[in-house]
Amino acid sequence: SAVISQKPSRDICQRGTSLTIQCQVDSQVTMMFWYRQQPGQSLTLIATANQGSEATYESGFVIDKFPISRPNLTFSTLTVSNMSPEDSSIYLCSVALTGSYTFGSGTRLTVV
Amino acid sequence: SQQGEEDPQALSIQEGENATMNCSYKTSINNLQWYRQNSGRGLVHLILIRSNEREKHSGRLRVTLDTSKKSSSLLITASRAADTASYFCATDLSSNTGKLIFGQGTTLQVKP
């Protein structure tokens, strides 16, 4: 299975600012996935990051708020823009490789 | 929207007892997975069961899948205090894309 390095592990940010979260995978993968886990809740898929094309966003998530980059097959970033306290969540990236599913360790974001 | 509903939402048992968690989903699936999450940290993949399988075992874990009822159960036998965590089911709807839809989760507390 793949190994994912996700950074930062946590951050406290001021409202109105932006945070970029990075995920590095040790294998080449076609698709990477970004999830949000709000406090006490389950995971919700934000978007699918495809290399060489724009990300595909799920209902309720928009590119202006969560821009995603996918410059190559092993790396992706998710930016949380113009943050508000409602964006306080854990953000996780994920990949699936040969039937094995792997998640990053998560970024715990607190917006104050 | 969430694909899966899990019950119970919370479960408290004594060490040594068995714990059973249930998951129901709405649409046809390619596979169903169970994950563990300790204290809001990253997800640990426990077990994957494919749509053509009915039961799967891994150590103290037993997973069943009933596609006619669109439901799955996770049984943890001889529970330990270290099993205290949140457990989530997740469905992959087609062709192992890696895009997962998560259930609401069950919080398990195992008392020593």
Side-chain angles (χ1 to χ4, degrees):
Chain A
S1 62
V3 176
I4 300 176
S5 174
Q6 183 172 345
K7 299 177 181 179
S9 60
R10 60 178 60 226
D11 207 342
I12 301 174
C13 301
Q14 297 290 324
R15 65 178 66 198
T17 63
S18 298
L19 176 71
T20 296
I21 302 167
Q22 301 179 3
C23 276
Q24 178 76 50
V25 189
D26 68 344
S27 305
Q28 293 186 337
V29 292
T30 305
M31 289 183 284
M32 293 179 70
F33 303 91
W34 288 96
Y35 293 84
R36 180 179 72 182
Q37 186 178 26
Q38 294 177 298
Q41 303 296 315
S42 185
L43 282 77
T44 301
L45 182 66
I46 298 172
T48 302
N50 308 296
Q51 198 274 328
S53 64
E54 284 203 357
T56 304
Y57 289 83
E58 298 298 310
S59 175
F61 297 97
V62 296
I63 187 170
D64 290 346
K65 177 66 176 178
F66 298 102
I68 287 171
S69 78
R70 186 80 202 277
N72 56 54
L73 291 173
T74 63
F75 187 79
S76 179
T77 68
L78 170 76
T79 299
V80 186
S81 303
N82 188 24
M83 289 183 286
S84 66
E86 291 71 35
D87 294 319
S88 297
S89 296
I90 298 173
Y91 294 85
L92 302 101
C93 60
S94 172
V95 301
L97 190 64
T98 59
S100 177
Y101 298 72
T102 306
F103 281 79
S105 54
T107 297
R108 182 182 293 270
L109 170 62
T110 302
V111 184
V112 297
Chain B
S1 62
Q2 297 291 347
Q3 156 85 312
E5 299 293 331
E6 292 186 54
D7 75 271
Q9 288 189 336
L11 181 60
S12 180
I13 59 175
Q14 293 295 134
E15 208 166 24
E17 295 179 341
N18 296 340
T20 300
M21 289 160 262
N22 303 294
C23 168
S24 61
Y25 55 92
K26 299 175 183 176
T27 62
S28 297
I29 62 171
N30 181 275
N31 65 65
L32 185 145
Q33 304 165 43
W34 286 90
Y35 289 85
R36 183 183 72 224
Q37 186 179 42
N38 293 82
S39 302
R41 297 179 184 173
L43 290 174
V44 175
H45 182 263
L46 296 177
I47 199 164
L48 179 153
I49 187 165
R50 303 193 185 283
S51 60
N52 60 354
E53 298 176 311
R54 293 297 167 258
E55 188 172 311
K56 209 162 184 181
H57 297 255
S58 177
R60 293 184 296 113
L61 306 179
R62 173 178 169 254
V63 169
T64 62
L65 179 65
D66 187 336
T67 53
S68 66
K69 295 181 180 178
K70 291 186 169 60
S71 67
S72 174
S73 67
L74 170 68
L75 169 66
I76 304 173
T77 60
S79 64
R80 305 166 182 169
D83 294 329
T84 295
S86 293
Y87 292 81
F88 297 93
C89 67
T91 51
D92 191 340
L93 301 185
S94 63
S95 303
N96 296 328
T97 62
K99 174 179 172 179
L100 298 176
I101 309 296
F102 281 81
Q104 300 290 343
T106 294
T107 300
L108 173 65
Q109 181 184 31
V110 182
K111 300 176 183 177

